[in-house]
Amino acid sequence: MSHPTDADCIFCKIVAGQIPCFKLLEDERTIAFMDINPVNPGHALAVAKGHWPTVDVIPTEVLGAVAATAQRVAKAVITALEPGGVNLLQANGPGAGQSVPHLHIHVMPRRPGDAVALNWDYVPGDRAEIEAVYRRLKAVL
Ligand code: AMP
Ligand code: ZN
């Protein structure tokens, strides 16, 4: 299956076999491999084979395939590593901390007391502000 590529993209190079990875699995639309900067042992990535940077531009069916691959990897992580939990994380744009602009879902095993900065305290929001933003979103859905 043909898909868009970017010659300067590190994940496109991995998909093309031009640079190595610890490949977990591969199917028509996706590939999964180990993250080389793991937040915890077992940190892996489910990656679209095509070069689409973010969730707003990737075709819906490809995003679904990436999610299915993330699920397969998460099941393997849970079975083999028995972590305290698993986070799936997907960043869009530098403002969200995305460093590789080629869509991927992180599969992050979690350990009690680890220092992964993903969780936050619940602070009740202002209901009028929530409703005002809700109306803006509803208007474009
Ligand atoms: P993000 O910041 O959400 O775009 O995540 C990009 C992830 O890709 C980071 O966790 C990096 O550690 C990881 N990464 C970058 N280059 C490679 C590579 N060559 N092989 C495996 N993982 C990589
Ligand atoms: Zn790419």
Side-chain angles (χ1 to χ4, degrees), residues 6 9 11-12 50-51 101-102:
D6 179 332
C9 170
F11 287 179
C12 284
H51 183 87
H102 178 132

Side-chain angles (χ1 to χ4, degrees), residues 16-113:
Q18 293 165 356
I19 62 171
C21 71
F22 292 104
K23 191 191 295 182
L24 290 163
L25 63 88
E26 181 175 12
D27 61 22
E28 190 182 20
R29 291 176 159 148
T30 72
I31 184 170
F33 50 84
M34 304 304 290
D35 195 302
I36 49 163
N37 302 290
V39 297
N40 271 323
H43 183 176
L45 302 170
V47 181
K49 281 190 170 172
H51 183 87
W52 291 282
T54 50
V55 73
D56 51 318
V57 297
I58 194 169
T60 304
E61 64 277 13
V62 182
L63 181 62
V66 179
T69 292
Q71 183 185 32
R72 282 183 67 190
V73 173
K75 285 181 173 179
V77 164
I78 290 163
T79 299
L81 307 181
E82 300 181 340
V86 175
N87 284 112
L88 301 186
L89 177 77
Q90 192 271 319
N92 298 281
Q98 185 179 22
S99 61
V100 178
H102 178 132
L103 192 133
H104 53 280
I105 299 175
H106 294 259
V107 180
M108 295 174 162
R110 298 295 302 276
R111 303 279 177 207

